[in-house]
Amino acid sequence: MPTVLRVDGCVGLSMLVDRTSGCCIITTAWRDEEAMHASEGWLRPVRERAGEVLGGRPQVDEWEIAVLHRDHTSKPGACVRATWVRTNPEDTDRLIDIHRLGLLPEIETYDGFCSASLMVDRTSGYAVSSVTFDSRDAMVRTRDAATTLREWGTREANGQIIEVSEFELALAHLRVPEMA
């Protein structure tokens, strides 16, 4: 984390971990696309080394942060539910609006809610929504409500749910401004 955060233009890093499956997602956020691309050559060996340490191969995806809303900063023990969705690329703006105006107001009412984000790839129509909770218990208590809401939102956006996963928030050092 300290190495990445020293790179010019980096505004944060987070790490999601599923200790059962061994899946680990490390996300970096950048001041702008130019800073992100300028870091590529320098960070490639850092990613490769992280993959060796964690026992896997890094997969690099680029996303636009379309929505970000924080109720409060997460604390140790926080967990994240991530939902990957695919829609037609021309429906991406509709997906963003549905998330911001339809899903987010409901998600904010969940007991233990910390924050929510939506990242999109406008070219492919692929998106990932993440909702952070104060604890695993809070996340588990919202499963049924989240399933109903997720299915409604995906239908409204002409999308398809690809995967839903739950993670421990192992590192939370994203300093991205509010975008809700």
Side-chain angles (χ1 to χ4, degrees), residues 29-135:
W30 300 90
R31 177 183 60 235
D32 54 37
E33 192 172 354
E34 183 180 323
M36 178 180 66
H37 288 281
S39 73
E40 175 59 30
W42 196 84
L43 286 180
R44 186 177 301 114
V46 174
R47 278 196 298 267
E48 289 171 4
R49 177 66 181 135
E52 290 171 14
V53 169
L54 297 172
R57 285 184 352 162
Q59 173 185 326
V60 179
D61 297 313
E62 293 182 13
W63 301 90
E64 169 193 338
I65 302 172
V67 178
L68 176 68
H69 172 64
R70 282 187 199 92
D71 181 72
H72 59 275
T73 304
S74 63
K75 306 224 179 335
C79 289
V80 175
R81 180 178 299 116
T83 303
W84 287 266
V85 175
R86 184 177 307 272
T87 191
N88 295 317
E90 60 271 11
D91 290 329
T92 301
D93 285 331
R94 179 173 170 72
L95 174 70
I96 292 168
D97 288 344
I98 289 167
H99 190 277
R100 182 180 289 123
L101 303 172
L103 301 178
L104 189 55
E106 290 296 318
I107 292 168
E108 287 179 295
T109 68
Y110 292 168
D111 183 43
F113 169 78
C114 283
S115 64
S117 66
L118 177 69
M119 296 186 292
V120 299
D121 176 345
R122 290 177 183 276
T123 304
S124 68
Y126 204 47
V128 60
S129 167
S130 63
V131 180
T132 304
F133 296 90
D134 289 324
S135 66

